[in-house]
Amino acid sequence: MQKKIIKLSIILLIIFIIGVFFIGLNKNSIYDTKNLVGQKITKIELEHFSDNRIITAGDLRKNNFTLINFWASWCGPCRAEHPILLKLNEEKNLELLGVNFKDKKNNALEFLKDLGDPYDDLARDELGKHSINFGIYGIPESILINKDLVIIKKFIGPISKNDYNYIKNIVRQ
Amino acid sequence: MLSDIGNTLLIINILLGISIIYFSFQNLKSNEILISEKIYHICLFQSTFIIICFLTLITAFIVSDFSIINVYQNSHSLKPFFYKVSGTWGNHEGSLLLWVIILTIFSFLFLLYNKHHQKNYRIYSLIIQNILILGFLFFLLFNSNPFSKVLPIPKEGLGLNPILQDPALAIHPPLLYIGFVGSSIYFSAAIGSLLTNYSGKLFARSIKNWVLISWSFQTLGILAGSVWAYYELGWGGFWFWDPVENASLLPWFAMSALLHSLIVLEKRNLLYFWVIILCLLTFILSVTGTFLVRSGILNSVHTFANDPSRGIYILIFLSLMIFASVLLFFNKFKETNYNLNSNSKETFILINNWFMIFYLITVLLGTVYPIFTEVLTDHKVSVGPPFYNTVIIPIVILFLLFMSVGPQTQWIKNKFYNINLLLKILMGSILINFSIIYLFKGYSLLSNFIVISAVFLVISSLIDLYKSFNKLKKDSPRILSHLAFGFLILFIGLNYNFSLEKDFNLKLGEKKSFENYSIEFKDIRLQDFENYKAVIGEFKINNFKKNLDQSLYPEIRIYENPSTITYEASIRSGILKDYYITMSNIDRSDYYNIKFQKKPFMIWIWISVIFISLGGFLRLYQNAKKNY
Amino acid sequence: MKTKVIIFFIILNFNVVNAITFSVDSNKILKNLRCLICQGQSVADSNSEFAQTIKIVVKDQINDGKSEKEIYDFLIEKYGEWIVYKPPLNKVNFVLWIFPYLALISGGVIIFLFLKKRDNH
């Protein structure tokens, strides 16, 4: 009897392992930080792009919704999402905070002059240090937060038409 | 043309495999005492045809026949000849063909070299091995066909990933495959043995050389892989506990355990069922490793182009193998009386197995754990070097101590211990450890224990070696491998503690100084090579204390087919230490990121591993001499 | 006499060890972090944009007096457990950390029982 139990449990264990492998095979396993939604961003201290002001959490609490967008003039996909950002700027409930990432000041200004400036506020992250605070690992990346600074959604890569509609729906509610 | 020849040969091989199984069953039914000549002949044909099939594929790579999709994807007409050939097994399909070749040749040789063993046992082993061969042939033909055509025929190939264009990596797969694919033969033999009750000493004798062969080659294969990682991947380490590396290590643990317990079976006719488990486990782990690596279920440094259908096929094959062997084993398992004395060689060999299984479980669990967390909890975790180091290293200390004492004991019951001698050796080890700290620098408590126990093993093996020279003890292969293992751990320990690693950014003409070293960025130039362009930096290394003055030339290589950038380390190897520099450009800046490393005793780590496997080959040579 | 000598050596040995103080080692931390955008490389071994940023941040935090664990916790909060090569001991990773030792102990017990059975005969 005891032996039978041992044998049976060994067989069940093997079935379990193979089953997990089988499910694992069909699971898409590309890493992203999208599941970190719901976190509260506590420490915000961003240098303003043009003056010596520091943008803090308090500034963002004033907005109903804020879209924090990390971009740089040297980043190709940032150009692709730029028209959508310009359109998002028209939303009343949404403020856009751009964070210029590891960029040269002149290049960034030129970029905005050529393509338009969608940002209500612009910060600067010359060494990229602050990006870590927001869980950024490659640009462009954007984070939608609410009044309480809780992350509603993360957008990895350029913002698409679908993302635009999603944001529009949320901020208009 | 070549594609058709290849496909035809594969089909012929399938037919030959089927006919071997058919004639084998015929032979079992008849009352013949011998295996019929016919079977030998078919097996010979089978081996010959599969080799010709492989040569066909090599030819296709050499003449750059881009009508074959595999050649098109993995070769380029401008590639150096050597890498055209090695490219044959540098990809999934080609390496699978190599896999089948080893299955087939081992099948034939096992049949040939075991003539004095029982007929039915040999026949059953042959049948099982041919079932394995057929399984892989079908996989090859219908899922991963190396001879598939592409239309329209491309003018030029895509080229082999430049990181794989390397001599160490060219020999890595064949060595490793002889190791873990070779283990298939004792998987088949174990099943044959269970089916025919051909057990005990005779069974041990029939497989021991095959275990030795696979173990020795597996050791060399792992070595080639880590040598490659050391100078190609550009971070100066030689072992990263990457899933692919682990996949080669898992069968090695099982083989090492088997290698030892097989001695008990041969000498004392004990542990038969345990030996069977290990035989089955080794090959099952080999296939599991292949599944983990090829299916893309895990994240790894090494990218094989992934395709889920492959994973499914291997997984089904693997499950069939596991269930068949587990059920058969349960069916045949009998409790046997063991005659073990707590103080005997048998017990110490069991202790070896105990540790080997512990390492095996730890590495296996660490490797597959991310799959489990992801499937069961949707959580992504990484299990990397710090996990393995934390769990395994403290246990290595105990292992080394047992390894030093074990071989001193006798079979059945040990009569006396030379406690005095052991204490002296221990004292010597502590003294040596102390002098290293005193003369150079201190290290952590754990490292102290590692060094002490490694030196303990080295000294006791050296004493053994001295004895064996005097008494002509036949145990020199064992001593050699154990001694080399002691040295391996010692050198790894010292290497770990005495490495110097500096990471900094430099502009052309700048100089960086730290400790006794200064590094000057002297020059940078662009140069064209046969199949790549290279940015070559010149760095001058000075050591004020030792009057060292050397230049190293790391490269950034730009390959066009396929377009890839690689960072080539420049390494100055020496008897006591290696100097290692890699350089990489920093985007949008004049600075280059420089990584400078001083790595003591690197060469000795490689040499130790070579000697570990040499012990295996030496034993093989002794066994061969005894038989003839 | 001999045991005394050994004890003497052991004490000597550990005195030397204890004399060394260990500070937070940035390289060690960087080696334990996965470069998220690379293929199986640690941050220390990579020179990608992301790895460069993490290097700066980790060095900053060390200068701020943060402990090794605080740095890992901070990064796990931002990027998930995927970023550290040493999974933290928690509910999910419990089996990973415990099972090997369980296996080690039960292996020892099995061997012990084996020998004991024999001694009774």
Side-chain angles (χ1 to χ4, degrees):
Chain A
M1 188 58 207
Q2 204 187 357
K3 258 177 226 157
K4 264 198 180 147
I5 293 172
I6 294 176
K7 283 180 188 177
L8 200 67
S9 45
I10 290 176
I11 288 178
L12 286 177
L13 182 71
I14 295 171
I15 291 174
F16 169 68
I17 293 171
I18 291 172
V20 168
F21 282 177
F22 189 79
I23 301 169
L25 261 185
N26 298 317
K27 230 179 173 176
N28 184 9
S29 61
I30 293 164
Y31 167 82
D32 61 39
T33 49
K34 282 179 187 154
N35 54 348
L36 296 174
V37 164
Q39 258 183 26
K40 198 170 168 175
I41 300 178
T42 43
K43 211 184 96 190
I44 299 178
E45 272 173 20
L46 290 165
E47 294 162 46
H48 197 271
F49 188 79
S50 38
D51 46 51
N52 286 331
R53 200 153 60 86
I54 300 267
I55 300 172
T56 61
D59 296 326
L60 299 183
R61 279 208 187 90
K62 290 175 200 154
N63 312 333
N64 281 333
F65 290 98
T66 314
L67 185 73
I68 308 171
N69 173 251
F70 282 79
W71 66 281
S73 64
W74 46 263
C75 139
C78 298
R79 269 166 212 277
E81 69 172 3
H82 212 76
I84 296 183
L85 290 176
L86 285 167
K87 261 166 91 182
L88 277 172
N89 192 24
E90 294 160 12
E91 293 297 322
K92 277 188 193 131
N93 254 336
L94 178 75
E95 298 287 295
L96 260 73
L97 169 62
V99 183
N100 186 233
F101 179 81
K102 290 192 182 178
D103 209 351
K104 291 208 172 89
K105 221 168 177 171
N106 289 341
N107 294 350
L109 286 172
E110 207 159 298
F111 180 91
L112 294 179
K113 216 175 91 190
D114 288 353
L115 299 170
D117 183 353
Y119 303 112
D120 300 300
D121 242 333
L122 187 54
R124 189 168 150 70
D125 187 7
E126 200 180 353
L127 295 170
K129 281 199 258 185
H130 299 288
S131 70
I132 302 299
N133 229 335
F134 293 87
I136 305 295
Y137 61 92
I139 58 166
E141 256 187 73
S142 314
I143 304 169
L144 182 65
I145 59 172
N146 65 12
K147 233 183 161 81
D148 306 322
L149 309 184
V150 173
I151 300 175
I152 297 171
K153 200 170 165 79
K154 282 196 143 189
F155 304 95
I156 290 149
I159 289 184
S160 66
K161 264 265 152 57
N162 284 338
D163 296 335
Y164 169 73
N165 290 329
Y166 177 88
I167 297 171
K168 208 169 67 182
N169 278 335
I170 284 196
V171 299
R172 283 188 183 172
Q173 261 168 21
Chain B
M1 232 292 275
L2 288 169
S3 154
D4 298 326
I5 297 175
N7 274 318
T8 317
L9 285 167
L10 284 180
I11 292 165
I12 291 177
N13 259 292
I14 288 182
L15 295 176
L16 288 175
I18 294 170
S19 58
I20 288 173
I21 295 174
Y22 173 75
F23 287 121
S24 300
F25 276 117
Q26 292 268 302
N27 196 283
L28 280 175
K29 266 187 248 162
S30 70
N31 292 323
E32 288 170 66
I33 312 157
L34 291 172
I35 295 176
S36 67
E37 284 293 311
K38 209 167 16 183
I39 292 177
Y40 283 102
H41 288 154
I42 305 175
C43 284
L44 180 60
F45 279 134
Q46 193 190 22
S47 296
T48 319
F49 280 132
I50 198 77
I51 290 171
I52 296 174
C53 183
F54 192 55
L55 292 177
T56 313
L57 188 61
I58 293 181
T59 315
F61 270 87
I62 293 173
V63 301
S64 295
D65 180 352
F66 296 126
S67 68
I68 295 176
I69 197 163
N70 189 28
V71 181
Y72 160 67
Q73 281 175 341
N74 298 296
S75 195
H76 190 276
S77 55
L78 292 178
K79 210 163 65 167
F81 179 80
F82 180 70
Y83 295 121
K84 279 184 183 167
V85 176
S86 74
T88 315
W89 56 80
N91 58 80
H92 167 72
E93 286 83 2
S95 66
L96 210 62
L97 184 56
L98 187 64
W99 177 296
V100 177
I101 290 182
I102 291 164
L103 284 175
T104 313
I105 293 177
F106 269 58
S107 161
F108 179 55
L109 293 179
F110 188 75
L111 185 71
L112 210 58
Y113 281 101
N114 277 321
K115 283 196 169 143
H116 44 277
H117 288 279
Q118 197 203 56
K119 186 195 89 176
N120 280 6
Y121 158 67
R122 292 170 63 208
I123 290 269
Y124 271 115
S125 309
L126 185 68
I127 291 172
I128 302 297
Q129 183 77 1
N130 271 282
I131 292 173
L132 296 178
I133 292 172
L134 283 177
F136 279 96
L137 274 175
F138 279 118
F139 183 33
L140 201 62
L141 200 60
F142 297 115
N143 180 287
S144 307
N145 194 330
F147 295 105
S148 290
K149 287 186 201 174
V150 58
L151 273 175
I153 299 173
K155 291 223 166 55
E156 191 50 89
L158 298 176
L160 177 69
N161 185 349
I163 208 167
L164 304 178
Q165 297 186 22
D166 177 275
L169 206 66
I171 57 161
H172 171 63
L175 290 174
L176 208 59
Y177 279 25
I178 295 177
F180 71 74
V181 183
S183 72
S184 65
I185 199 67
Y186 41 89
F187 174 87
S188 304
I191 298 217
S193 154
L194 284 176
L195 287 170
T196 57
N197 296 324
Y198 188 73
S199 58
K201 295 187 180 190
L202 289 168
F203 169 66
R205 247 165 243 164
S206 74
I207 63 164
K208 71 172 180 193
N209 284 343
W210 304 93
V211 178
L212 273 169
I213 291 173
S214 61
W215 179 83
S216 308
F217 276 101
Q218 183 83 4
T219 312
L220 286 181
I222 293 172
L223 173 70
S226 49
V227 169
W228 170 77
Y230 174 63
Y231 62 77
E232 191 65 36
L233 292 183
W235 38 264
F238 54 92
W239 195 262
F240 197 65
W241 298 102
D242 182 81
V244 172
E245 291 170 333
N246 292 350
S248 67
L249 198 59
L250 289 170
W252 189 87
F253 286 138
M255 280 176 203
S256 305
L258 177 59
L259 197 64
H260 289 88
S261 50
L262 206 55
I263 309 173
V264 181
L265 184 61
E266 194 194 354
K267 292 268 156 64
R268 301 263 296 116
N269 202 1
L270 291 169
L271 303 180
Y272 169 69
F273 285 109
W274 177 237
V275 164
I276 292 286
I277 291 177
L278 289 175
C279 285
L280 300 173
L281 189 65
T282 308
F283 189 58
I284 286 173
L285 285 172
S286 305
V287 180
T288 309
T290 308
F291 164 73
L292 294 175
V293 173
R294 298 296 168 86
S295 67
I297 198 170
L298 287 170
N299 234 292
S300 150
V301 197
H302 311 248
T303 37
F304 289 91
N306 297 316
D307 168 4
S309 69
R310 260 179 222 165
I312 300 269
Y313 189 98
I314 306 178
L315 189 58
I316 292 172
F317 190 77
L318 181 65
S319 341
L320 288 178
M321 246 172 60
I322 293 176
F323 281 115
S325 39
V326 167
L327 292 177
L328 180 67
F329 182 82
F330 282 162
N331 193 10
K332 295 282 177 177
F333 179 75
K334 282 193 293 282
E335 262 195 63
T336 28
N337 260 335
Y338 288 103
N339 231 340
L340 278 184
N341 187 289
S342 58
N343 188 7
S344 64
K345 203 173 230 113
E346 298 89 304
T347 308
F348 275 95
I349 284 177
L350 267 185
I351 289 174
N352 157 291
N353 277 221
W354 173 32
F355 282 96
M356 281 300 164
I357 297 297
F358 164 72
Y359 299 139
L360 197 159
I361 286 176
T362 308
V363 176
L364 182 64
L365 188 69
T367 311
V368 301
Y369 203 75
I371 305 175
F372 280 78
T373 57
E374 182 153 25
V375 168
L376 300 174
T377 68
D378 239 350
H379 227 78
K380 253 176 132 41
V381 297
S382 309
V383 182
F387 166 76
Y388 297 102
N389 294 344
T390 315
V391 177
I392 288 181
I393 289 177
I395 310 299
V396 169
I397 298 164
L398 263 180
F399 179 63
L400 289 171
L401 294 178
F402 280 122
M403 197 169 165
S404 318
V405 180
Q408 320 295 333
T409 52
Q410 287 128 19
W411 292 104
I412 304 173
K413 187 168 169 48
N414 194 37
K415 286 182 200 80
F416 83 110
Y417 270 117
N418 200 338
I419 301 240
N420 233 330
L421 182 67
L422 287 176
L423 281 181
K424 270 184 198 153
I425 298 174
L426 187 62
M427 231 161 68
S429 315
I430 293 172
L431 194 63
I432 288 173
N433 177 52
F434 176 58
S435 2
I436 294 173
I437 291 178
Y438 186 77
L439 289 175
F440 302 100
K441 68 164 211 182
Y443 31 74
S444 72
L445 188 62
L446 192 62
S447 299
N448 268 276
F449 281 118
I450 288 280
V451 171
I452 291 171
S453 53
V455 173
F456 189 65
L457 175 58
V458 166
I459 296 178
S460 42
S461 301
L462 281 174
I463 291 173
D464 271 10
L465 195 65
Y466 172 77
K467 278 186 200 155
S468 86
F469 279 137
N470 285 349
K471 281 194 269 171
L472 281 171
K473 222 165 139 188
K474 273 265 169 89
D475 219 11
S476 42
R478 189 275 297 166
I479 299 168
L480 187 65
S481 289
H482 281 206
L483 179 64
F485 188 79
F487 272 122
L488 175 69
I489 302 294
L490 178 64
F491 288 129
I492 290 176
L494 295 178
N495 178 276
Y496 175 79
N497 282 300
F498 290 93
S499 282
L500 177 69
E501 197 174 328
K502 287 280 164 189
D503 191 328
F504 48 87
N505 298 337
L506 277 188
K507 249 195 312 207
L508 184 62
E510 278 187 338
K511 195 172 182 175
K512 169 99 181 172
S513 303
F514 47 85
E515 294 186 22
N516 302 320
Y517 291 94
S518 78
I519 290 168
E520 194 183 349
F521 193 168
K522 296 278 281 191
D523 184 31
I524 192 152
R525 62 176 191 275
L526 192 74
Q527 206 170 327
D528 276 323
F529 289 90
E530 194 184 349
N531 56 341
Y532 61 89
K533 287 191 179 78
V535 180
I536 306 174
E538 182 184 340
F539 292 86
K540 206 165 177 188
I541 302 173
N542 271 302
N543 185 331
F544 318 127
K545 262 194 183 167
K546 291 174 190 154
N547 270 332
L548 170 94
D549 187 7
Q550 278 185 326
S551 287
L552 271 84
Y553 304 89
E555 296 176 24
I556 301 172
R557 285 188 188 167
I558 302 127
Y559 287 84
E560 284 184 5
N561 314 295
S563 68
T564 324
I565 292 178
T566 66
Y567 304 94
E568 298 291 314
S570 173
I571 304 170
R572 190 60 38 91
S573 292
I575 293 181
L576 287 178
K577 53 182 160 280
D578 283 13
Y579 290 107
Y580 188 110
I581 281 193
T582 47
M583 140 182 120
S584 51
N585 50 315
I586 297 174
D587 290 341
R588 311 181 301 279
S589 145
D590 305 334
Y591 281 92
Y592 285 82
N593 180 264
I594 312 298
K595 194 170 279 186
F596 167 77
Q597 299 185 62
K598 183 187 80 173
K599 309 231 91 188
F601 304 120
M602 279 315 294
I603 286 187
W604 294 101
I605 292 176
W606 312 138
I607 291 176
S608 303
V609 179
I610 290 175
F611 272 93
I612 291 175
S613 99
L614 208 59
F617 286 116
L618 199 63
R619 173 75 81 205
L620 210 57
Y621 172 74
Q622 277 186 356
N623 289 347
K625 230 170 57 178
K626 226 184 314 180
N627 287 347
Y628 296 104
Chain C
M1 175 57 205
K2 236 163 223 154
T3 37
K4 271 187 193 161
V5 174
I6 290 174
I7 290 169
F8 170 74
F9 273 124
I10 290 174
I11 291 172
L12 205 56
N13 217 339
F14 296 153
N15 276 342
V16 175
V17 176
N18 290 335
I20 317 155
T21 48
F22 294 95
S23 55
V24 181
D25 178 3
S26 71
N27 205 36
K28 187 187 157 208
I29 295 178
L30 295 175
K31 276 217 183 313
N32 289 354
L33 296 174
R34 180 190 285 273
C35 167
L36 296 173
I37 56 168
C38 317
Q39 274 279 340
Q41 263 184 323
S42 74
V43 167
D45 302 327
S46 167
N47 192 33
S48 63
E49 196 79 66
F50 175 75
Q52 288 176 30
T53 314
I54 291 276
K55 282 177 195 172
I56 298 174
V57 169
V58 167
K59 274 168 197 161
D60 271 9
Q61 297 212 346
I62 291 174
N63 290 338
D64 288 349
K66 291 252 174 74
S67 74
E68 207 178 322
K69 192 171 175 299
E70 282 170 326
I71 297 174
Y72 291 143
D73 287 345
F74 168 73
L75 290 169
I76 288 174
E77 188 197 321
K78 300 297 172 193
Y79 292 97
E81 280 175 19
W82 181 243
I83 199 169
V84 289
Y85 275 122
K86 184 177 184 172
L89 181 61
N90 57 23
K91 247 190 338 209
V92 174
N93 302 325
F94 190 68
V95 177
L96 175 71
W97 284 102
I98 293 303
F99 193 76
Y101 295 109
L102 225 59
L104 186 69
I105 293 166
S106 46
V109 170
I110 290 172
I111 292 181
F112 182 73
L113 289 178
F114 232 53
L115 301 176
K116 215 168 172 208
K117 208 156 71 184
R118 150 76 195 133
D119 288 344
N120 289 341
H121 278 284

